Amino acid sequence: MTNLVRTPFSEISLAEPFFDSLKTDYAEFPTWFKKKADSGESAYLYKTKTKGLVGFLYVKAEAGMVTDIKPPLKAGVHLKIGTMKIDAHGTKLGERFIKKVFDHAFEVHADDAYVTVFAKHQGLIDLYTRYGFEPYAVKDGPNGQEMVLLKSFHNVKNDILLDYPRIKANGVTIGLLAIYPEYHSKFLPDSILKNEHFSILDDVSHANSIHKIYVSGIAAAGKLTRGDLLVMYRTSDGKGPALYRSVATSIGVVEEVRRIKSFATLSEFLKYAGPYSIFPKEKLTELYDTKKHHNMIKFTYNIALRRRLIRQRLIEEVGLAAGTRRWDFFKLTRAQFDLIFELGQAHESYLVD
């Protein structure tokens, strides 16, 4: 297992050392765990070949008021993050879990998401607040008082990260950006195609992180600015006609664009690009030495389209030009973007405007 996989509690061993800290923090954890197993509930697991179980996420939709916190949450649909634990090992797995929380929230049409956390877990608190959770309440329990962090999906902060994963499409440039198949799913793991296996995914920063860096030699792509949108387009793998093998899969938001030559030293460049680019250190070093005018497009990975759109549909239904240009990077109209959003069956909750 090398991806987030939804797994029944009854198939998860509580004897795993991974759960020891949860048993220490919550004396009732084994009882709670058994209750979830007996009721047939599931959680998201992340395992690696070398470290075994390194991530666990349980979320639950709650309808009505939430009254066991002070102040209570008013009536609505709330996604409770019942348990999220990650054994940090430098691969930004926490960001992968945060994205999964939001994806799940939109699936159940939640008004907000909330989590309780002890103040001692500052790293976890920092992760939540980076993506829009705010202190809202406290919860008193048998193990002490916990903070309650809340993220509303109705309030707009006009900030790419605080509003993440929601996007704004008004008044921004929208571009279609091509990515080769050998990079696509390892870079955008939630956009993996049905004919690909999870075994191609690795537990590495560029896969797990919400933030991505794409290296481009296309001059027009260098004109993108913060807040612009990208529709990621996986080019053909050559195993059949491009009309059916090339697909639009994902939507991201540009954070910034920098020329490689803007970095004064190689070490500065590697520190910036290393965690978020699919290229290894050797390739990045080569780019720094030989491609000074290439652009580094840093963007957030917001939406994996539920239905991937093949090139034929993009031409016939969205109205993209069939053969007048290379499909490497070009601008989309708002109407074309809206069709991609609709035909790709993206949840309307992702769109702010």
Side-chain angles (χ1 to χ4, degrees), residues 26-316:
Y26 302 97
E28 71 280 9
F29 186 78
T31 302
W32 173 86
F33 195 98
K34 184 178 184 305
K35 181 179 178 182
K36 298 301 178 187
D38 291 343
S39 61
E41 295 197 52
S42 300
Y44 293 102
L45 294 188
Y46 194 101
K47 291 183 178 181
T48 70
K49 295 175 183 177
T50 56
K51 297 179 182 298
L53 181 60
V54 295
F56 176 91
L57 171 66
Y58 170 71
V59 292
K60 180 180 180 181
E62 299 177 333
M65 293 184 65
V66 177
T67 58
D68 60 347
I69 63 176
K70 298 177 183 178
L73 272 174
K74 65 181 182 180
V77 178
H78 313 286
L79 187 77
K80 180 180 182 180
I81 306 170
T83 305
M84 185 171 96
K85 180 181 184 295
I86 299 143
D87 281 351
H89 51 285
T91 65
K92 300 190 182 298
L93 187 57
E95 293 182 25
R96 184 82 167 273
F97 274 67
I98 287 289
K99 185 176 186 301
K100 181 59 69 176
V101 166
F102 295 147
D103 291 343
H104 195 109
F106 291 160
E107 288 284 347
V108 299
H109 303 285
D111 296 297
D112 51 53
Y114 78 98
V115 63
T116 62
V117 59
F118 288 112
K120 67 179 181 179
H121 297 305
Q122 189 59 50
L124 196 56
I125 293 169
D126 291 344
L127 176 65
Y128 283 121
T129 55
R130 188 181 313 144
Y131 299 104
F133 283 82
E134 298 177 310
Y136 174 80
V138 296
K139 180 177 181 179
D140 293 313
N143 303 291
Q145 187 176 87
E146 295 178 274
M147 301 171 58
V148 179
L149 304 176
L150 175 76
K151 173 158 178 154
S152 169
F153 298 126
H154 297 298
N155 297 336
V156 178
K157 302 290 187 179
N158 294 312
D159 181 277
I160 290 172
L161 298 187
L162 298 181
D163 290 329
Y164 181 86
R166 292 180 298 165
I167 63 174
K168 283 189 173 183
N170 278 340
V172 302
T173 295
I174 306 171
L176 181 140
L177 184 65
I179 182 169
Y180 291 132
E182 59 263 37
Y183 301 133
H184 172 269
S185 297
K186 296 177 182 180
F187 195 48
L188 307 170
D190 290 338
S191 301
I192 190 170
L193 304 190
K194 290 182 179 179
N195 62 352
E196 296 175 316
H197 192 269
F198 285 150
S199 61
I200 71 171
L201 304 181
D202 294 322
D203 177 35
V204 290
S205 295
H206 67 252
N208 292 331
S209 180
I210 284 169
H211 309 271
K212 311 291 180 180
I213 284 181
Y214 179 105
V215 182
S216 173
I218 304 168
K223 297 179 181 179
L224 292 164
T225 60
R226 187 175 179 85
D228 289 342
L229 299 183
L230 296 172
V231 174
M232 303 304 295
Y233 172 74
R234 179 190 183 274
T235 59
S236 174
D237 56 10
K239 297 179 180 179
L243 276 176
Y244 312 110
R245 305 294 297 184
S246 300
V247 287
T249 68
S250 322
I251 298 171
V253 180
V254 175
E255 292 188 77
E256 66 174 351
V257 178
R258 292 185 62 176
R259 288 280 186 93
I260 292 180
K261 68 177 183 179
S262 71
F263 295 90
T265 64
L266 173 61
S267 60
E268 180 188 350
F269 173 72
L270 293 175
K271 182 178 180 180
Y272 177 86
Y276 309 114
S277 169
I278 197 167
F279 294 131
K281 180 179 179 181
E282 295 75 18
K283 179 63 175 178
L284 289 173
T285 300
E286 178 188 336
L287 289 170
Y288 182 80
D289 290 336
T290 63
K291 303 293 183 181
K292 294 288 190 181
H293 293 284
H294 275 40
N295 296 300
M296 312 288 290
I297 304 171
K298 187 176 183 181
F299 67 96
T300 54
Y301 177 32
N302 295 59
I303 304 169
L305 298 176
R306 287 190 292 171
R307 180 175 291 279
R308 320 298 196 234
L309 300 180
I310 60 174
R311 183 184 179 109
Q312 182 187 45
R313 297 192 71 191
L314 293 171
I315 293 170
E316 295 178 357

